Amino acid sequence: MSKKHKKEKKGSSQEGKMSAKEFEAALEPLQLELVKMQEWVKATGAKVCIVFEGRDTAGKGGVIKRITERTSPRVFRVVALSAPTEREKSQMYFQRYIPHLPAGGEVVLFDRSWYNRAGVERVMGFATEEQVETFLAYTPALEKAIIDSGVILIKYWLDVSQENQAKRFKERNEDYRKIWKLSPMDLEAQRRWYDYSRARDAMFAATDTEESPWYVVDANEQRKARLNCIAHLLSVVPYDEIPHEPIELAGPQEKGDYAEPDYPYHYVPSLY
């Protein structure tokens, strides 16, 4: 896989839906490469931090799920913090996020991150304009310090149209398996669509730097978005394939004098 990232045209569309079969066929080689990347991270002690931000319903969780589906949770660690406690609200803003940054041999995926301050906190009035402006002023310096410490920092913004967002909210409301994804805060996303647009624009203007750029993922077609994001991730992490010697499997142990006990095991019913 080429390591060179080719810049796509802004606003490029993803026409035509991909079938589940096509998606799985395209995903398999990408997940194989993710395992190769994992082995490189383990062998070299690399530190990788991936930030996922974007519109509500854009599919951040879906991308993260596919990235971690075939990788080790001991290497690929997902951070999805809940609302701050009263104690955390009294801390320096970045304090609750810094302990979750990767150590050597780790890949950390932030399902939303310190950029909450530039998005939901700003739009919903949980942070003052002074706090937001301070955040935007200091974040590039913080991210430079993170990168200078040896962390590979990658930031993704998943974008979805207003119409598709409304459609996905409706699907969540009608599908009991997805109702946990809906909250009063989520429903504000449509009512305050352009407030969120203004907040995003200000965030990009302040934090889309040459050293730590934002990569925008067109997430209107979810399957293609997942594939495109994973392919791009593999293109910007400079991993190499680590030689792997097949393990020689041992033969089965002889039974010897072992006898199966006459024990009343509580078996799970065979319903399927």
Side-chain angles (χ1 to χ4, degrees):
M1 182 175 294
S2 171
K3 298 293 189 296
K4 187 176 181 181
H5 169 56
K6 295 182 179 179
K7 188 174 182 181
E8 298 293 337
K9 291 182 179 180
K10 184 177 180 181
S12 62
S13 62
Q14 298 179 1
E15 296 179 357
K17 286 192 173 182
M18 176 179 279
S19 70
K21 185 176 181 180
E22 291 172 325
F23 171 69
E24 294 295 338
L27 179 64
E28 184 176 348
L30 294 176
Q31 290 185 326
L32 176 63
E33 291 298 320
L34 284 170
V35 174
K36 291 180 182 178
M37 183 183 118
Q38 169 183 279
E39 297 306 296
W40 173 81
V41 167
K42 287 165 56 179
T44 62
K47 298 177 288 186
V48 182
C49 180
I50 311 167
V51 169
F52 289 93
E53 294 286 346
R55 298 276 192 182
D56 288 315
T57 78
K60 296 176 290 295
V63 173
I64 291 170
K65 178 182 177 182
R66 291 304 190 168
I67 290 173
T68 59
E69 193 172 37
R70 300 292 182 181
T71 53
S72 169
R74 295 176 180 84
V75 179
F76 280 73
R77 180 162 53 85
V78 179
V79 176
L81 300 184
S82 57
T85 64
E86 289 303 314
R87 179 177 183 275
E88 288 171 331
K89 289 178 183 178
S90 72
Q91 295 174 340
M92 182 186 77
Y93 178 71
F94 292 106
Q95 193 170 337
R96 70 191 298 247
Y97 295 100
I98 290 173
H100 297 283
L101 292 173
E106 290 182 346
V107 179
V108 171
L109 303 96
F110 277 94
D111 186 351
R112 296 206 179 277
S113 66
W114 47 90
Y115 281 102
N116 276 334
R117 174 134 296 179
V120 65
E121 289 190 15
R122 181 176 210 172
V123 173
M124 299 303 296
F126 299 148
T128 66
E129 280 302 305
E130 183 181 3
Q131 287 174 322
V132 173
E133 292 303 324
T134 299
F135 170 84
L136 293 176
Y138 283 98
T139 295
L142 174 74
E143 291 180 352
K144 183 178 186 306
I146 292 171
I147 293 167
D148 288 348
S149 75
V151 174
I152 298 171
L153 178 61
I154 306 161
K155 302 185 302 191
Y156 288 114
W157 175 270
L158 276 66
D159 205 34
V160 66
S161 70
Q162 191 172 14
E163 295 74 21
N164 278 333
Q165 186 186 68
K167 179 182 175 183
R168 291 174 190 178
F169 276 141
K170 184 173 184 293
E171 289 172 353
R172 289 179 179 184
N173 197 38
E174 296 173 352
D175 187 341
Y176 197 81
R177 298 168 299 174
K178 298 179 180 180
I179 59 171
W180 61 272
K181 294 183 176 183
L182 272 180
S183 72
M185 202 73 64
D186 296 325
L187 299 180
E188 288 294 312
Q190 283 278 298
R191 196 170 74 85
R192 303 180 188 234
W193 176 269
Y194 291 106
D195 291 338
Y196 273 105
S197 295
R198 294 183 187 95
R200 176 205 58 198
D201 296 347
M203 182 187 77
F204 271 41
T207 64
D208 183 24
T209 64
E210 184 175 351
E211 190 164 31
S212 181
W214 279 103
Y215 295 107
V216 179
V217 180
D218 182 345
N220 284 293
E221 213 286 83
Q222 288 179 307
R223 287 170 179 158
K224 290 182 179 180
R226 291 165 188 169
L227 296 173
N228 289 331
C229 189
I230 295 172
H232 179 266
L233 170 63
L234 292 166
S235 77
V236 294
V237 176
Y239 71 95
D240 292 309
E241 184 171 352
I242 303 298
H244 179 259
E245 293 294 330
I247 297 173
E248 186 175 340
L249 301 178
Q253 183 182 14
E254 295 293 332
K255 182 177 180 179
D257 60 355
Y258 176 77
E260 290 286 348
D262 184 16
Y263 188 82
Y265 294 110
H266 297 282
Y267 285 105
V268 173
S270 297
L271 301 178
Y272 302 96

